Amino acid sequence: MKLTTKGRYAVNALLDLALHNNKKPVHLADVAERQNISLTYLEQLFSKLKRHGLVSSSRGPGGGYRLALEADEISIAKIIYSVDETIDITRCHGKQNCQKDQRCLTHDLWMELNMHVSSFLNGITLFDLIQRNNVKHVAQKQDFAFVQIHKH
Amino acid sequence: MKLTTKGRYAVNALLDLALHNNKKPVHLADVAERQNISLTYLEQLFSKLKRHGLVSSSRGPGGGYRLALEADEISIAKIIYSVDETIDITRCHGKQNCQKDQRCLTHDLWMELNMHVSSFLNGITLFDLIQRNNVKHVAQKQDFAFVQIHKH
DNA sequence: TAATACTTGACTAAATCACTTGGTTATGTG
DNA sequence: CACATAACCAAGTGATTTAGTCAAGTATTA
């Protein structure tokens, strides 16, 4: 199993996008600042998210990214998968050749854990996260800080 | 979250130990061969398992390792924890300073996933694994191959 | 047509993984 | 007592991955 900042960044960034999903597309630079992620790194992640159809982009002045699907159609599992992180835990990736071309002693255990984790992450969408009070509260704080810095 | 071969090796090796837990202690070399793990690498893992009180050892000829606890007292979570792998997924390790000294947008999500995985791994012991038919079957195959090679 | 914004590819320092090497120390057996 | 055995220990190492940076684009639109 591999769940690192890459996957967390992607989920945070998409949630930020969902929370600022008005008429206008969202600048990646703003997301980067609010979520404290390097812009160029975020660009790489969004290029993957776009390839997987989770976001759409528009170029030029006033351009940016927006969700390509409804928030309740984007599961956390989808996001993590899109940025190349695998939820798989087994060595053989399900192929049952974990040890000398045979299933290792604990093959079934890891498969079971796989199932648990993916069904958990499949069952939660961006919409679910938005519904939770904490998220809105945290997002407001982030927006406040953002406005404080950028007001002229 | 970090679950790699280290944790899988440790669980496989301890399960092997549990399955060969007769009067005599078990040679690490035999475990290494049956489970197809480098001996010296396994030694490193067992040194950690011993420090955490999961196994006891006896030196000299006829020495080896045995379980220090009953199989139903050793959970998978304990084993993984003992070899330094962390089940924690959050960046802040629960400290809620994941982003600019505040909780990040998805802090609660990762904490929840943490809970899911650890309660799953806490709820399964070596004894549980032994009870499953597949494990015994696989172990018998491993023993058969082992004996084939070592009979004189 | 200049400014804005997305796109791509190559590169990199640091960390981690999965070991290997090369020993030392304790213990039971002949 | 010598010696084989097997646990114990420290350090190093090549490959891979992470989390980025840097540089040079291309497309869009005010």
Side-chain angles (χ1 to χ4, degrees):
Chain A
M1 157 132 14
K2 202 178 55 173
L3 270 179
T4 63
T5 50
K6 207 200 291 188
R8 281 194 299 261
Y9 279 176
V11 176
N12 277 358
L14 277 197
L15 190 52
D16 183 284
L17 215 63
L19 287 164
H20 298 86
N21 209 19
N22 306 322
K23 281 143 269 173
K24 293 195 159 194
V26 182
H27 305 352
L28 257 203
D30 292 352
V31 177
E33 188 178 328
R34 277 192 297 260
Q35 301 308 321
N36 204 29
I37 306 174
S38 137
L39 173 60
T40 44
Y41 193 48
L42 205 53
E43 282 174 345
Q44 290 176 37
L45 299 185
F46 268 73
S47 137
K48 290 179 179 178
L49 293 170
K50 193 182 175 185
R51 265 205 296 284
H52 284 84
L54 298 189
V55 297
S56 60
S57 63
S58 52
R59 295 173 138 200
Y65 284 96
R66 56 177 91 225
L67 296 184
L69 302 169
E70 294 300 315
D72 63 1
E73 293 174 307
I74 300 181
S75 70
I76 308 306
K78 237 181 223 174
I79 300 172
I80 292 174
Y81 173 78
S82 294
V83 292
D84 287 344
E85 298 219 300
T86 169
I87 293 166
D88 188 20
I89 294 155
T90 59
R91 172 170 226 183
C92 58
H93 303 291
K95 283 177 192 161
Q96 313 204 354
N97 59 350
C98 359
Q99 187 193 339
K100 297 178 185 166
D101 287 337
Q102 300 220 335
R103 306 146 55 92
C104 72
L105 274 181
T106 48
H107 182 86
D108 292 338
L109 171 68
W110 308 123
M111 288 302 278
E112 232 180 291
L113 180 53
N114 271 357
M115 292 274 294
H116 263 254
V117 173
S118 22
S119 74
F120 175 76
L121 293 177
N122 265 307
I124 298 179
T125 66
L126 287 181
F127 181 77
D128 297 329
L129 291 184
I130 294 169
Q131 290 305 98
R132 301 181 185 186
N133 285 335
N134 283 338
V135 170
K136 281 184 188 162
H137 185 64
V138 173
Q140 273 168 21
K141 276 194 187 174
Q142 290 175 353
D143 285 346
F144 181 73
F146 184 80
V147 169
Q148 289 298 307
I149 292 164
H150 289 83
K151 71 180 174 191
H152 38 272
Chain B
M1 156 131 16
K2 202 178 55 171
L3 268 178
T4 64
T5 51
K6 208 201 290 188
R8 281 194 299 262
Y9 279 176
V11 176
N12 277 357
L14 277 196
L15 190 52
D16 184 285
L17 216 62
L19 287 164
H20 298 86
N21 209 19
N22 307 320
K23 280 144 267 173
K24 292 194 159 192
V26 182
H27 303 355
L28 257 204
D30 293 350
V31 177
E33 189 177 328
R34 276 193 297 261
Q35 301 308 319
N36 204 29
I37 307 173
S38 136
L39 173 59
T40 43
Y41 191 49
L42 204 53
E43 282 174 345
Q44 290 174 40
L45 300 184
F46 269 73
S47 139
K48 289 179 178 176
L49 292 170
K50 191 185 174 183
R51 265 205 295 285
H52 285 84
L54 297 190
V55 297
S56 61
S57 63
S58 53
R59 293 177 138 198
Y65 285 95
R66 55 178 92 224
L67 295 184
L69 302 170
E70 295 300 315
D72 64 359
E73 293 173 309
I74 301 181
S75 72
I76 309 305
K78 237 183 224 173
I79 300 172
I80 291 173
Y81 174 78
S82 294
V83 293
D84 286 346
E85 298 220 299
T86 167
I87 293 167
D88 188 21
I89 294 156
T90 58
R91 173 170 225 181
C92 58
H93 302 291
K95 282 177 190 158
Q96 312 203 354
N97 60 348
C98 359
Q99 188 192 341
K100 295 176 184 165
D101 287 337
Q102 299 220 339
R103 307 146 54 92
C104 71
L105 273 182
T106 49
H107 181 86
D108 292 337
L109 172 67
W110 308 123
M111 288 300 278
E112 231 180 290
L113 180 52
N114 272 356
M115 292 273 294
H116 263 253
V117 174
S118 24
S119 74
F120 175 77
L121 293 177
N122 264 306
I124 298 180
T125 66
L126 287 182
F127 182 76
D128 297 330
L129 291 185
I130 294 170
Q131 289 306 98
R132 299 183 185 185
N133 285 335
N134 282 340
V135 170
K136 281 183 189 164
H137 184 64
V138 173
Q140 273 167 20
K141 275 194 189 175
Q142 289 174 353
D143 285 347
F144 181 72
F146 185 79
V147 169
Q148 289 298 307
I149 292 164
H150 290 83
K151 72 180 173 189
H152 36 274

